[in-house]
Amino acid sequence: MATNNLINDMIITKRALPLFRDTNGFIKNIDRSYDSYFGKSGAKIGASVNVRLPNDPVVGDGPVVSPQSIAERSVPLTVAYRKHVSLGFDTQERTLNVDDFSGRYIEPSVNNLTGSVADIAMTLALGAANMVRNVDGNGNTIAPTSETWLQAKAKLTKQHAPTADRFAVLDPDTDASTVSGLMGLFNPSAQIGQQTKTGAMEAPLLGVREWINDQTCLVTTTGSYDSAATATGSVTTLSNAGNAIPGQISSTAYPQNSVIATSALNGGINAGDVITIAGVNQVNRVTKRSYGTPMQFVVTQAVASGATSIVVSPALVGPAADGSQNQYQTVDALPVADAKITLVGKQGETIRRNLLFNKKAMTLVTVDLMEVNKGVVDCGMANLDGISMRTLTYYNGTDDTLGTRLDVLFGIGVLRPEWLCIVPDIVDAG
């Protein structure tokens, strides 16, 4: 194969982009439809737009119309993150053929760069508002089965998440146990045969478009809260204020939150833990009729033992004062005084946070960085399927070397936390 006289930055960028797009299945399958909102070149960290969420008009009866005021909802989508990898090599190494250069330098660099982006996305997915556990006779979390995944699918369906474009992200250990558990449940087929050959989940299966084996699935420990505290009957609403602090979960990253006043808690609750409240049930988002099952809420701010309030998502929106339907209604009733608040899961359990989600639950935007000419040796910027990346090579006169960096400027937003469901698996301490 002929070699290049010089592999320039545009070649590096165009080789890196498809790798970035395809290396991590979670990142690949997050919605990217809002990139055009950030279409200007040279955008900076902090650039933000408000992404409007679907309206929820109340249906009226009879021929008389009573005009209603629609309360618009939006989520601030902020370019909050910038990640880069830096490379060092001499001009001789840049004369390698493209495939050799890609294998030695570009592929491992992009793999690590994509992993860092996926880690942020996984951290924001701590805001998943649903959890389905498989438990043993003592209530301990155990590996999910096909029934567990089907129950998770039902959770999304009851939240009106579209049935198309559903993806599962599994920790490698959970993927192994899931494949093993499903092998005996189906008659022989080409698909199950392929699972046996590859040792990985094959899609589509159980209503999931793609099963993604991902090492960036988070491992977390449930708080020490003893599920004995009760609500006081007071609930207030927090409007969203922006994206989370980089690398951290924050209530400001989600569309809307509620603050539930409580009696003093015995034991702490961690961000990402899920709770239920006695007498507060989930409703059909269209008809507003109660499903009769406890609504789950994710805790979006860590709560210390002794605290007397909990911040949760989604927001608690009950019926109107006269008992009629309410816009964006999420529950059939607000908590009354002395309603017990229960932790979903066991205290102190360490779990793998496998994830079932609809593509539109989260969104990723990448922004064109400014092309730099002055003071650099080379610069290349390109866009592929809504993903922007820049490669820049600069000269360091102090030691007479060249340095090359790959940069991605991006934002990640959680638009519909109710379209994310955690399917935990226990981490065996042994």
Side-chain angles (χ1 to χ4, degrees), residues 7-22 98 102 106 110 380-384 387-391 406:
I7 297 174
N8 61 39
D9 283 357
M10 184 57 74
I11 291 173
I12 295 174
T13 306
K14 289 186 174 181
R15 275 296 177 115
L17 271 171
L19 293 171
F20 184 88
R21 180 194 61 188
D22 299 334
V98 173
S102 180
I106 301 176
V110 173
M381 184 178 66
N383 185 295
L384 176 66
I387 297 175
S388 295
M389 181 178 291
R390 186 189 70 183
T391 303
L406 279 71

Side-chain angles (χ1 to χ4, degrees), residues 291-312:
Y291 282 125
T293 54
M295 179 70 173
Q296 292 183 337
F297 303 94
V298 61
V299 177
T300 56
Q301 292 181 11
V303 185
S305 182
T308 56
S309 66
I310 307 172
V311 182
V312 299

Side-chain angles (χ1 to χ4, degrees), residues 8-332:
N8 61 39
D9 283 357
M10 184 57 74
I11 291 173
I12 295 174
T13 306
K14 289 186 174 181
R15 275 296 177 115
L17 271 171
L19 293 171
F20 184 88
R21 180 194 61 188
D22 299 334
T23 295
N24 183 276
F26 184 35
I27 292 298
K28 179 181 178 181
N29 291 300
I30 292 175
D31 173 66
R32 291 199 294 273
S33 62
Y34 295 96
D35 277 285
S36 61
Y37 285 53
F38 298 87
K40 62 181 181 179
S41 179
K44 299 179 183 299
I45 286 181
S48 179
V49 296
N50 287 325
V51 176
R52 290 185 178 182
L53 299 178
N55 289 321
D56 183 28
V58 175
V59 177
D61 291 317
V64 179
V65 174
S66 178
Q68 58 183 290
S69 175
I70 300 294
E72 294 274 6
R73 299 187 310 162
S74 63
V75 181
L77 181 54
T78 304
V79 178
Y81 313 98
R82 181 171 174 178
K83 295 290 185 179
H84 69 268
V85 289
S86 58
L87 308 173
F89 37 72
D90 57 34
T91 54
Q92 180 178 344
E93 289 164 319
R94 278 213 179 196
T95 62
L96 294 169
N97 69 59
V98 173
D99 289 337
D100 287 346
F101 186 87
S102 180
R104 288 180 58 180
Y105 296 105
I106 301 176
E107 290 179 16
S109 299
V110 173
N111 181 66
N112 291 352
L113 184 62
T114 310
S116 69
V117 176
D119 184 64
I120 293 173
M122 284 291 184
T123 301
L124 289 176
L126 282 169
N130 306 286
M131 179 180 285
V132 175
R133 302 168 63 231
N134 187 27
V135 298
D136 63 16
N138 296 316
N140 301 302
T141 297
I142 57 177
T145 64
S146 58
E147 181 181 1
T148 317
W149 288 105
L150 289 170
Q151 288 174 344
K153 186 182 77 168
K155 281 276 189 185
L156 297 191
T157 300
K158 292 172 80 171
Q159 294 282 8
H160 296 277
T163 55
D165 291 333
R166 291 185 179 181
F167 301 88
V169 185
L170 293 78
D171 177 273
D173 288 321
T174 304
D175 182 75
S177 60
T178 302
V179 172
S180 175
L182 291 180
M183 280 183 178
L185 297 181
F186 299 91
N187 292 324
S189 68
Q191 185 178 50
I192 303 305
Q194 185 66 17
Q195 281 187 185
T196 305
K197 290 178 181 178
T198 63
M201 293 294 294
E202 295 293 325
L205 191 67
L206 301 178
V208 178
R209 177 175 166 180
E210 184 175 344
W211 297 79
I212 302 162
N213 189 327
D214 195 330
Q215 302 95 317
T216 60
C217 282
L218 296 185
V219 174
T220 62
T221 301
T222 308
S224 58
Y225 169 57
D226 64 359
S227 295
T230 57
T232 67
S234 172
V235 176
T236 56
T237 300
L238 287 178
S239 295
N240 51 311
N243 281 66
I245 300 169
Q248 299 180 28
I249 184 175
S250 168
S251 60
T252 60
Y254 308 104
Q256 203 173 54
N257 298 263
S258 285
V259 182
I260 306 168
T262 69
S263 62
L265 274 63
N266 181 26
I269 307 178
N270 296 329
D273 286 349
V274 178
I275 62 170
T276 59
I277 309 167
V280 179
N281 296 319
Q282 182 183 359
V283 298
N284 182 304
R285 291 293 185 93
V286 173
T287 67
K288 310 299 190 287
R289 291 185 181 275
S290 176
Y291 282 125
T293 54
M295 179 70 173
Q296 292 183 337
F297 303 94
V298 61
V299 177
T300 56
Q301 292 181 11
V303 185
S305 182
T308 56
S309 66
I310 307 172
V311 182
V312 299
S313 173
L316 281 77
V317 181
D322 61 0
S324 61
Q325 296 180 3
N326 217 345
Q327 290 180 34
Y328 308 112
Q329 187 175 330
T330 58
V331 296
D332 61 358

